[in-house]
């Protein structure tokens, strides 16, 4: 694993005003994200893991603190700058895939590719996720696992620096879930991607290089995993 | 059910824009229905009551002169129920201000009540047969009375049989044949200042016209179901020795024809106009409810799981549509009553009907309520049917992605493959929601078509004005002499300062015979070299008058089935001397818009009467600086029966056009509202349905502007073809409307200027842009964080 810091979060907080109550979703959090690592953020519901992921991915702005990405301070970025950041640096994979139902698998991937200057080819990424033969299928014609694989292909085609996955196996069965994790691991190992997976499933922590455990809006523990387990061998 | 009521309020609040949009469409539909139907009912009832109370004639017979005793003979004809003999003549009036007017002097035997076409006193008192001061007492129509600022007791100077008589105005009155007062069909609108109705006791008119014991008109009422042809033939036979000048049924009576045309117009639009709005509202409600049920599937499942039954849930969802209709109908009724009163005021201005036209018609309001609730119930219950098939357990599972269907355009790979992903997405979304596509297109087409129809009235009047005042005739004054005069007499007039051009005319009333059928017509004799008055072709192009032959009127051509090349026989109906007969060949058909007459050369008109160089009138062009001088000089000439000023006619039309602007703007506003709501709903529905997808585009790096452009791409392929389709649809609607209205008296072509098409298309673009912009603002508020949350 490379030790170069890709992103630095310094004392980042996030609070939401909900009616008359202010909810502190993320308390002062400091975290370094290393280039090329597979980081798993673990925590129960409401622990602030998704908030953290959203802030890392430029989907949300912190209430205070600093986010440095490749020497750029993202905490002061405008909406437009954040859009460009997401466009050029980030690939997202969601629990519910969020594919465009009126585009075929291939077109969903191409749509993302059309946003960046030097994308990979959709054929290439679809082959990598093993769905080259499903290129002309609509999401409604694909299983959940297949849809998630398309979603990964869509994220990867932009050749992003960071691949962010929010409960990527949450809606999938055990076996399919493991296949998806295998794909993500492959993306890290073969293509050198930095991957962050947010999940409540502790077993997934075993495949990570590092595991961040969150509780009540704070990082409770950061542990280094000396020997990550291959996804096909984990159990839950 | 308090909880469900609360839930309904929440749903309404959550979709307030759409809710109000639909309610506005319902309100427009209902207010149009109430406004137009109330006007139609009230005007129709007012007409019917007036006709009944005053024994409106079924048939008119004009003779030169006939003894009153023939009335008994006519009464004896089977099928005839009531007969009145009277004298009616158009005579000149010398006004105090040196101007001329014409009144249609009509006589009434006393007591009036049981006579055909009796009159109703509106103000003042009835005339006396033998006034104490020995003079003549008259009633006039209220339009003439007001326009000429008369007062009871005023004296008017009339000319009868070349003698001036002062007559005293003692009241105002109207009759069923005077609801719309125009001298003849050559006028576009009434001119109360220069033409009115004067009612006198029968004995006085006999004296005025030197017709003791005689009448010149016989008007009859026929029994319902009587053999009209038989009766008319029998009456004509009785009147034959007295010079039967003309005979026509009620439908050809000018005032009745105008009122009937208005009624049939109202009848036509009272149906289709509200129908367009209400059916589109029903369609939108259906689509919105269907979508609502689809997205709230889980909640419906939970409701079922808790124990609500299908009936309750269906009723709950249908209540949404019913609430839309209740709110829409309430607003519609309020606005409809206002509109009905505006219409009534307008009709009161147009037509002389003694009974109030206004008033709230509760029956119509009740119908409108039933109609709107019907729309709500129909849309609500049909849209709610899928609720039946939702099972509580299944509904908890998240839905698979919406099924996509391939667009028809994919059959054109050359075109399809060139499209970007966002265009492909737009086309597929459109073709997936076929019902919505159909509804949106129907809505836009209707809105644009209504824009065309709104503007077409303006174009038609503008065209008619141009045709009437510039193409077919361009004179400033038309004169009619008391008797035919020699052409040389025109010299006196042409010498007046300011007269630029004067051209003689000979108007000769005739009966056209063809294949044993007849049609009464007016032969207009003009010099082939004339420049101030012309017949015209169907397309408005003027036709030169031939030396020989006749350019037959459209009316006669239609009645007798005539075509160019046919030969007809004309019989003169001059009312004096023997009738003359002549055979003439048809050289063209005259589609002149107003006062559709047949044209011959001046020489030929004279030839028919075995005369030469005679004229009955003249048309003239004057220098406008001298107009009032010339008018007053002409007014002093006793040989002149009437003077028609075109400027006055034009002013009258223009003032009526002013009142039309409100109607046109209201219609334009309604069309734009319809178009706006359609687009707004379509965009909001599509947006709500695809919120997650659109938000996911934001996460992968699309800007909000780019996402917004995707929504635009979905609207454009629906909007542009619909706007274009709306243009011919508008023309079709205008044609259908004219087709449904009986305009026997006038020839009304459907004229829509290219500029109106352009304006309607622009109007279409405006409501599309507006609807899309307002609905598309949601994109700015799209929350991408929501994506990481659960599906429902």
């Amino acid at each position: 694993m490379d030790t170069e810091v890709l992103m630095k979060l310094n004392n980042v907080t996030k609070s939401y005003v909900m009616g008359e109550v202010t909810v502190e979703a993320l308390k002062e959090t400091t975290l370094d994200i290393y280039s090329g690592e597979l980081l798993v953020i673990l925590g129960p519901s409401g622990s602030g893991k998704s908030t953290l992921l959203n802030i890392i991915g430029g989907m949300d702005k912190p209430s205070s603190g600093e986010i440095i990405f490749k020497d750029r301070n993202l905490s002061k970025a405008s909406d437009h700058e954040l859009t460009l950041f997401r466009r050029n640096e980030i690939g997202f994979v969601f629990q519910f895939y969020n594919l465009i139902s009126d585009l075929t698998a291939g077109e969903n991937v191409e749509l993302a590719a059309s946003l960046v200057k030097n994308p990979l080819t959709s054929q290439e990424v679809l082959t990598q996720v093993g769905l080259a033969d499903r290129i002309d299928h609509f999401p409604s014609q694909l299983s959940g696992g297949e849809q998630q694989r398309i979603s990964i292909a869509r994220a990867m085609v932009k050749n992003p620096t960071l691949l962010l996955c929010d409960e990527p196996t949450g809606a999938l069965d055990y076996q399919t879930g493991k296949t998806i994790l295998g794909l993500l691991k492959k993306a890290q190992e073969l293509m050198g991607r930095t991957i962050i997976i947010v999940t409540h499933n502790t077993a997934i922590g075993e495949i990570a290089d590092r595991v961040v455990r969150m509780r009540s809006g704070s990082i409770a523990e950061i542990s280094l995993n000396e020997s990550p387990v291959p996804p096909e061998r984990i159990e839950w | 059910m308090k909880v469900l009521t609360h839930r309904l309020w929440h749903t309404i609040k959550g979709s307030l824009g759409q809710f109000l949009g639909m309610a506005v469409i319902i309100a427009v539909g209902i207010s149009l229905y109430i406004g137009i139907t109330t006007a139609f009912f009230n005007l129709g009832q007012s007409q019917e009551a007036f006709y009944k109370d005053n024994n409106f004639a079924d048939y008119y017979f004009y003779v030169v002169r006939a003894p009153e005793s023939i009335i008994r003979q006519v009464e004896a004809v089977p099928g005839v129920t009531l007969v009145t003999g009277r004298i009616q003549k158009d005579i000149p009036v010398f006004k105090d201000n040196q101007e001329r007017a014409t009144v249609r002097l009509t006589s009434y035997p006393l007591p009036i009540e049981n006579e055909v076409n009796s009159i109703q006193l509106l103000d003042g008192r009835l005339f006396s047969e033998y006034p104490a001061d020995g003079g003549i007492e008259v009633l006039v129509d209220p339009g003439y009375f007001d326009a000429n600022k008369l007062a009871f007791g005023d004296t008017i100077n009339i000319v009868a049989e070349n003698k001036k008589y002062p007559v005293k105005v003692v009241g105002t009155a109207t009759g069923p044949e005077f609801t719309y007062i125009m001298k003849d069909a050559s006028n576009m609108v009434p001119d109360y200042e220069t033409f009115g109705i004067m009612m006198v006791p029968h004995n006085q008119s006999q004296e005025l016209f030197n017709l003791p014991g005689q009448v010149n008109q016989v008007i009859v009422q026929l029994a319902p179901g009587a053999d009209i042809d038989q009766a008319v033939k029998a009456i004509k036979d009785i009147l034959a020795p007295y010079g039967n000048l003309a005979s026509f049924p009620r439908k050809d009576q000018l005032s009745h024809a105008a009122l009937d045309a208005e009624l049939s117009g109202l009848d036509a639009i009272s149906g289709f106009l509200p129908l367009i709005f209400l059916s589109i509202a029903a369609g939108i409600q259906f689509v919105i409810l269907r979508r609502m049920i689809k997205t709230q599937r889980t909640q419906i499942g939970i409701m079922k799981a808790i124990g609500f039954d299908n009936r309750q849930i269906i009723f709950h969802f249908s209540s949404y549509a019913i609430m839309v209709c209740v709110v829409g109908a309430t607003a519609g009724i309020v606005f409809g009553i206002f509109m009905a009163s505006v219409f009534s005021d307008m009709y009161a201005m147009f037509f002389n009907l003694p009974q109030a036209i206004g008033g709230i018609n509760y029956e119509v309001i009740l119908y409108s309520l039933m109609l709107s609730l019907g729309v709500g119930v129909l849309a609500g219950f049909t849209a709610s049917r899928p609720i039946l098939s939702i099972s509580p357990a299944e509904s908890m599972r998240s839905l698979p992605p919406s099924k996509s269907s391939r667009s028809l355009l994919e059959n054109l790979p050359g075109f399809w493959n060139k499209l970007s992903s966002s265009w492909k997405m737009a086309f597929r979304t459109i073709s997936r929601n076929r019902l919505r596509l159909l509804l949106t297109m129907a809505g836009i087409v209707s809105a644009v078509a209504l824009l065309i129809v709104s503007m077409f009235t303006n174009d038609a009047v503008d065209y008619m004005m141009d045709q009437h005042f510039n193409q077919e005739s361009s004179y400033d004054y038309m004169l009619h002499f008391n008797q035919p005069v020699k052409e040389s007499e025109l010299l006196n007039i042409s010498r007046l300062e300011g007269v630029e051009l004067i051209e003689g005319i000979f108007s000769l009333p005739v009966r056209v015979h063809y294949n044993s059928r007849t049609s009464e017509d007016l032969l207009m004799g003009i010099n082939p070299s004339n420049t101030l008055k012309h017949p015209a072709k169907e397309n408005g192009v003027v036709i030169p008058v031939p030396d020989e032959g006749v350019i037959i009127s459209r009316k006669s051509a239609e009645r007798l089935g005539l075509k160019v090349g046919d030969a007809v026989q004309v019989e003169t109906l001059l009312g004096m001397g023997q009738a003359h007969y002549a055979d003439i060949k048809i050289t063209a058909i005259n589609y002149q818009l107003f006062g559709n007459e047949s044209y011959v050369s001046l020489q030929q008109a004279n030839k028919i009467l075995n005369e030469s160089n005679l004229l009955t009138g003249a048309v003239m062009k004057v220098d406008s600086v001298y107009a009032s001088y010339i008018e007053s000089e002409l007014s002093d000439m006793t040989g002149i029966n009437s003077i028609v000023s075109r400027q006055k006619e034009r002013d009258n039309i223009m003032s009526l056009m002013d009142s039309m602007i409100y109607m046109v703007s209201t219609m334009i506003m309604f069309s734009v509202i319809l178009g706006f709501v359609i687009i707004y709903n379509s965009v909001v529905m599509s947006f709500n349905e695809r919120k997650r997808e659109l938000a996911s585009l934001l996460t992968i790096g699309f800007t909000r502007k780019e996402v917004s452009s995707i929504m635009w791409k979905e609207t454009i392929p629906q909007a542009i073809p619909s706007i274009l389709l709306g243009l011919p649809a508008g023309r079709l609607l205008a044609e259908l409307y004219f087709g449904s209205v009986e305009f026997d008296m006038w020839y009304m072509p459907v004229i829509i200027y290219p500029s109106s098409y352009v304006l309607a298309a622009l109007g279409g673009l405006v409501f599309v842009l507006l609807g899309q912009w307002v609905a598309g603002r949601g994109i700015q508020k799209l929350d991408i964080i929501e994506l990481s949350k659960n599906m429902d």
Side-chain angles (χ1 to χ4, degrees), chain B residues 368-560:
Chain B
S368 73
L369 259 178
M370 281 160 55
L371 195 67
S372 53
L373 282 180
V375 167
V377 169
L378 187 80
F381 285 96
T382 46
S384 301
R385 278 195 54 214
I387 287 175
L388 295 173
S389 62
I390 294 177
S391 97
E394 263 177 49
S395 71
M396 306 293 166
R397 272 185 230 142
S398 59
L399 269 182
S402 336
K403 265 191 192 150
S404 186
S405 56
R406 296 200 182 265
S407 162
L408 285 176
L409 292 173
E410 290 180 59
N411 296 323
L412 307 166
F415 170 75
W416 184 257
N417 293 334
K418 283 202 188 85
L419 292 178
S420 68
S421 299
S422 50
W423 273 112
K424 286 179 183 170
M425 200 192 320
F427 280 118
R428 290 215 186 99
T429 312
I430 293 168
S431 65
R432 176 156 52 85
N433 297 301
R434 299 236 164 106
L435 184 65
R436 199 185 303 164
L437 167 71
L438 210 69
L439 185 74
T440 307
M441 289 191 75
I444 302 174
V445 168
S446 307
V448 174
L450 287 177
L451 277 177
I452 294 269
V453 172
S454 320
M455 287 189 260
F456 133 81
T457 337
N458 225 7
D459 290 355
V461 173
D462 190 74
Y463 171 80
M464 288 191 275
M465 293 272 285
D466 178 56
Q467 196 66 16
H468 186 49
F469 289 109
N470 302 327
Q471 310 299 325
E472 292 168 3
S473 45
S474 48
Y475 56 87
D476 296 318
Y477 292 98
M478 182 188 263
L479 315 173
H480 284 287
F481 304 125
N482 290 334
Q483 279 139 12
V485 298
K486 282 285 174 191
E487 220 171 331
S488 52
E489 302 257 337
L490 286 189
L491 275 175
N492 290 332
I493 301 171
S494 65
R495 280 193 199 117
L496 290 173
E497 199 166 4
V499 173
E500 291 175 347
L501 187 60
I502 183 157
E503 294 172 348
I505 56 172
F506 198 116
S507 37
L508 181 58
V510 293
R511 184 173 290 129
V512 182
H513 296 260
Y514 182 73
N515 279 350
S516 74
R517 277 187 297 170
T518 60
S519 164
E520 272 120 31
D521 206 334
L522 191 72
L523 273 192
M524 179 61 72
I526 60 172
N527 250 327
S529 60
N530 264 25
T531 56
L532 298 176
K533 192 168 166 56
H534 312 274
K537 282 189 212 168
E538 205 166 358
N539 60 7
V541 175
V542 298
I543 319 169
V545 173
D547 291 327
E548 287 280 326
V550 60
I551 299 170
I552 200 86
S553 69
R554 171 192 60 89
K555 216 161 64 182
S556 288
E558 279 172 8
R559 282 186 188 162
L560 306 178

Side-chain angles (χ1 to χ4, degrees), chain B residues 254-320:
Chain B
L254 193 55
S255 150
H256 170 79
L259 184 51
D260 247 22
E262 193 56 46
L263 277 168
S264 65
L266 278 177
D267 193 21
I269 56 170
S270 71
F272 84 81
L273 214 49
L275 191 75
I276 290 178
F277 285 88
L278 293 180
S279 48
I280 287 173
I284 305 178
Q285 290 185 58
F286 180 87
V287 173
I288 287 184
L289 270 183
R290 272 280 155 103
R291 204 200 75 80
M292 206 183 267
I293 287 162
K294 205 171 154 193
T295 51
Q296 297 184 7
R297 207 171 128 266
T298 313
Q299 296 183 39
I300 293 169
I302 293 169
M303 283 159 84
K304 283 190 178 184
I306 293 171
F308 286 102
D309 63 22
N310 279 329
R311 198 178 47 82
Q312 286 168 313
I313 303 172
I314 286 180
F315 185 74
H316 169 65
F317 276 89
S318 304
S319 302
Y320 182 85

Side-chain angles (χ1 to χ4, degrees), chain A residues 16 50 54 57-60 79-80 83-84 86-88 90 92 94-104 107-108 110-112 114-115 136-142 147 154-155 158 166, chain B residues 398 400-406 410 416 420-426 428-430 432-433 690 692-704 706 710 783-785 787-791:
Chain A
Y16 297 100
S50 288
N54 288 337
M59 294 225 284
D60 210 352
D79 282 347
H80 184 67
T83 300
L84 292 181
R86 289 198 301 271
R87 178 180 294 193
N88 297 316
I90 304 290
F92 265 108
F94 296 100
Q95 180 178 3
F96 295 108
Y97 337 125
N98 293 324
L99 295 175
I100 307 291
S101 55
D102 284 319
L103 292 180
T104 60
E107 289 161 353
N108 261 288
E110 274 159 24
L111 184 70
S114 70
L115 284 171
D136 283 331
H137 286 62
F138 285 106
S140 60
Q141 297 165 319
L142 301 171
Q147 285 184 63
R154 181 176 70 173
K158 294 196 298 175
D166 192 358
Chain B
S398 59
S402 336
K403 265 191 192 150
S404 186
S405 56
R406 296 200 182 265
E410 290 180 59
W416 184 257
S420 68
S421 299
S422 50
W423 273 112
K424 286 179 183 170
M425 200 192 320
R428 290 215 186 99
T429 312
I430 293 168
R432 176 156 52 85
N433 297 301
R690 301 166 59 206
R692 286 187 78 85
E693 284 187 5
L694 297 174
S696 78
L697 293 177
L698 290 177
T699 63
I700 57 175
F702 276 84
T703 59
R704 286 181 197 269
E706 284 164 336
I710 288 177
D783 187 4
I784 45 179
I785 309 291
L787 270 187
S788 48
K789 297 189 182 154
N790 284 338
M791 291 294 273

Side-chain angles (χ1 to χ4, degrees), chain A residues 180-193:
Chain A
I180 293 299
L181 291 174
L183 269 178
L184 294 174
K185 186 77 186 163
K186 202 168 93 186
Q188 181 215 5
E189 285 169 352
L190 300 181
M191 300 164 72
R193 300 252 183 273

Side-chain angles (χ1 to χ4, degrees), chain B residues 634-674:
Chain B
L634 291 173
S635 298
D636 282 345
M637 299 181 183
T638 40
I640 294 174
N641 184 302
S642 70
I643 306 163
V644 177
S645 155
R646 301 275 281 175
Q647 191 51 45
K648 278 198 183 125
E649 202 182 338
R650 201 189 289 251
D651 293 347
N652 271 329
I653 296 167
M654 289 319 284
S655 70
L656 276 179
M657 283 291 286
D658 287 346
S659 66
M660 235 174 68
I661 284 174
Y662 297 107
M663 296 281 290
V664 171
S665 348
T666 309
M667 273 308 296
I668 289 178
M669 192 179 77
F670 284 171
S671 319
V672 171
I673 288 176
L674 177 68

Side-chain angles (χ1 to χ4, degrees), chain B residues 68-379:
Chain B
E68 282 173 315
S69 56
I70 51 105
I71 292 170
R72 297 270 162 270
Q73 281 175 265
V74 175
E75 270 171 351
V77 170
V80 173
T81 53
L82 198 60
V83 183
T84 290
R86 66 179 188 184
I87 295 171
Q88 188 178 61
K89 281 191 177 192
D90 287 0
I91 55 162
V93 169
F94 284 91
K95 294 207 266 186
D96 293 343
N97 58 2
Q98 299 301 314
E99 280 184 5
R100 282 291 189 98
T102 302
V103 290
R104 184 155 293 164
L105 194 122
T106 311
S107 78
Y108 293 88
L110 289 172
I112 287 173
E113 289 74 29
N114 289 323
E115 299 294 338
V116 182
N117 284 0
S118 67
I119 48 173
Q120 206 158 319
L121 189 69
L122 297 173
D123 204 356
R125 63 170 174 85
L126 197 63
F127 42 58
S128 157
E129 280 180 290
Y130 302 102
D133 61 6
I136 302 169
E137 290 182 349
V138 300
L139 303 171
V140 293
D141 73 86
Y144 185 83
F145 186 84
D146 292 341
N148 288 289
K149 300 183 180 65
L150 294 173
F152 299 134
D154 279 1
T155 300
I156 300 178
N157 291 310
I158 60 169
V159 179
E161 300 298 302
N162 290 324
K163 273 174 76 182
K164 239 185 200 184
Y165 294 93
V167 297
K168 192 160 113 190
V169 181
V170 294
T172 57
T174 183
E177 61 191 315
F178 308 131
T179 51
Y180 195 66
I181 298 172
M182 287 201 302
K183 190 160 182 249
D184 50 50
S186 68
N187 297 90
M188 268 172 92
V189 293
D191 178 4
Y192 294 115
E193 218 175 294
T194 61
F195 182 75
I197 306 296
M198 183 175 278
M199 295 151 257
V200 293
H202 190 49
N203 62 319
Q204 301 275 19
S205 79
Q206 286 178 324
E207 252 178 63
L208 279 172
F209 296 110
N210 195 21
L211 291 168
Q214 307 199 63
V215 295
N216 76 347
Q217 285 184 8
V218 176
I219 49 180
V220 300
Q221 271 204 318
L222 300 165
D227 184 340
I228 296 171
D229 292 344
Q230 199 80 36
V232 168
K233 190 178 175 301
I235 299 169
K236 276 186 179 170
D237 288 346
I238 294 169
L239 298 176
Y242 308 105
N244 185 358
L245 295 176
S247 54
F248 55 89
R250 176 189 284 193
K251 78 171 179 60
D252 290 345
Q253 202 268 331
L254 193 55
S255 150
H256 170 79
L259 184 51
D260 247 22
E262 193 56 46
L263 277 168
S264 65
L266 278 177
D267 193 21
I269 56 170
S270 71
F272 84 81
L273 214 49
L275 191 75
I276 290 178
F277 285 88
L278 293 180
S279 48
I280 287 173
I284 305 178
Q285 290 185 58
F286 180 87
V287 173
I288 287 184
L289 270 183
R290 272 280 155 103
R291 204 200 75 80
M292 206 183 267
I293 287 162
K294 205 171 154 193
T295 51
Q296 297 184 7
R297 207 171 128 266
T298 313
Q299 296 183 39
I300 293 169
I302 293 169
M303 283 159 84
K304 283 190 178 184
I306 293 171
F308 286 102
D309 63 22
N310 279 329
R311 198 178 47 82
Q312 286 168 313
I313 303 172
I314 286 180
F315 185 74
H316 169 65
F317 276 89
S318 304
S319 302
Y320 182 85
I322 293 168
M323 280 306 291
V324 168
C325 293
V326 168
V327 172
T330 311
I333 287 170
V334 174
F335 196 60
I337 291 172
F338 167 73
M339 223 150 96
S341 89
V342 171
F343 281 145
S344 301
D345 287 350
M346 214 174 68
Y347 285 125
M349 201 172 82
F350 272 106
F351 298 108
N352 284 308
L353 290 162
Q355 281 177 344
I357 300 175
I360 295 174
N361 191 324
Y362 293 101
E363 210 175 317
V364 172
I365 292 176
L366 185 73
Y367 286 152
S368 73
L369 259 178
M370 281 160 55
L371 195 67
S372 53
L373 282 180
V375 167
V377 169
L378 187 80

